[in-house]
Amino acid sequence: ECTFWGDPHFKTFDGGRPSVYGEGEFYIVKSAELSIQGRFKGTKYTEGLAATRKIAVGGSLLNGHVIEVGCMEDGDVTVDGQTVLHAFPSSYEVPGVLGASITYNTDGALVDGATKEFERHIIHLQLPSDVRLTILRWSNYVDFRLSMRNTGDIDGACGNFNGDPSDDTTELLFQRAGARVRQGELLFSHRTDVRLTDTVQKLLDICPPEQLQKAHAECQQEMSDALRGQVPEIQLKSCYLDVCFGSNEHALQMAKNLGL
């Protein structure tokens, strides 16, 4: 099981605990038959550090269909850009894909106990090959829980499912799967605009010089591979944030403690 919650904290299939704080589109699961991508965006409650804003699911397992589920502020659940689930609760069968369904209700265990007081809007994706994804939609972010079999070719923010949590660091995940979703593989209709808040810039200002130098070298290469061309400085800085603080799952609390 892989879980994401908050800003965004991950627990990989193998129990690793990487973190990503920069904005953009990321691989959550990348395999031959399944692509799950996340759009990470800052919120006013996270001082601009990213939370999971929206999830897109596609690949040959869905016969080319793309399912998008975002937070409540992002509006409708869509399949191939068309709104589904017009009522609450409701359900939907993905056309032409045996065993693929979407159910929308209040049922399901929370990923983060801190959300127990909130009104629940929960999406259940049941996909072929016993892939199950539960997405808890909050006002400006989502939590989720993913259960699937190990197909032997999995990677992304949920890890590589090899039984070893030590190689599920932010840095190694980026090296294997890419720092952002590559051009031509994006399931979303467009890339999000990346922003840097004052808090994010102040965090970058306290990144140790040797770590910042390492971030520059790694992000220049990995972001160029993903975006295929000249990488805007704001995109690079978003990546720097991940390299500098991806091993710290409490970067937001650290920033607040430092008064940034």
Side-chain angles (χ1 to χ4, degrees):
E1 183 177 272
C2 173
T3 53
F4 277 41
W5 69 98
D7 54 342
H9 302 296
F10 310 161
K11 185 176 181 181
T12 69
F13 290 120
D14 297 325
R17 298 290 292 269
S19 293
V20 170
Y21 297 111
E23 295 190 334
E25 286 78 28
F26 297 77
Y27 296 103
I28 293 172
V29 168
K30 184 181 181 183
S31 74
E33 64 177 11
L34 178 66
S35 180
I36 303 177
Q37 300 173 7
R39 171 169 288 161
F40 299 164
K41 295 285 290 181
T43 76
K44 63 182 180 181
Y45 303 106
T46 61
E47 306 292 342
L49 276 68
T52 309
R53 181 86 183 185
K54 181 177 277 193
I55 293 172
V57 185
S60 61
L61 201 64
L62 280 169
N63 292 344
H65 293 294
V66 176
I67 301 169
E68 292 187 38
V69 181
C71 62
M72 298 302 293
E73 289 179 0
D74 272 6
D76 299 333
V77 177
T78 66
V79 176
D80 302 330
Q82 301 299 311
T83 299
V84 298
L85 305 174
H86 296 278
F88 179 75
S90 60
S91 61
Y92 177 82
E93 302 290 328
V94 180
V97 186
L98 185 64
S101 64
I102 313 172
T103 304
Y104 193 21
N105 56 35
T106 61
D107 301 333
L110 298 173
V111 176
D112 180 7
T115 59
K116 63 184 179 181
E117 303 299 326
F118 299 161
E119 184 178 353
R120 300 184 188 186
H121 293 83
I122 304 178
I123 295 287
H124 307 269
L125 299 185
Q126 179 69 54
L127 306 180
S129 299
D130 201 28
V131 175
R132 289 169 290 170
L133 183 58
T134 302
I135 305 169
L136 298 97
R137 307 178 71 201
W138 309 116
S139 61
N140 57 12
Y141 72 100
V142 302
D143 296 331
F144 73 87
R145 176 184 293 106
L146 171 65
S147 175
M148 62 183 294
R149 295 197 295 264
N150 187 354
T151 58
D153 65 342
I154 293 170
D155 219 326
C158 276
N160 56 9
F161 221 151
N162 67 347
D164 180 7
S166 69
D167 62 8
D168 286 346
T169 65
T170 303
E171 183 178 0
L172 291 177
L173 293 175
F174 281 8
Q175 289 176 12
R176 294 195 306 262
R180 301 293 188 273
V181 174
R182 290 183 174 87
Q183 199 71 22
E185 297 181 6
L186 190 69
L187 296 177
F188 298 103
S189 60
H190 64 279
R191 293 190 186 273
T192 190
D193 292 331
V194 172
R195 304 161 300 166
L196 295 179
T197 63
D198 289 344
T199 297
V200 168
Q201 185 58 60
K202 288 175 182 177
L203 278 172
L204 289 175
D205 290 342
I206 66 169
C207 181
E210 65 278 7
Q211 186 71 1
L212 193 59
Q213 186 176 13
K214 180 182 179 183
H216 176 75
E218 292 181 0
C219 290
Q220 185 69 54
Q221 179 62 52
E222 292 166 8
M223 294 296 284
S224 294
D225 289 345
L227 303 181
R228 293 184 183 173
Q230 187 71 26
V231 182
E233 183 180 12
I234 196 168
Q235 292 273 10
L236 285 174
K237 286 187 173 182
S238 181
C239 179
Y240 296 169
L241 189 66
D242 298 327
V243 177
C244 287
F245 299 101
S247 62
N248 182 350
E249 64 177 296
H250 299 294
L252 176 59
Q253 189 59 51
M254 181 189 73
K256 289 180 177 179
N257 290 343
L258 292 172
L260 300 183

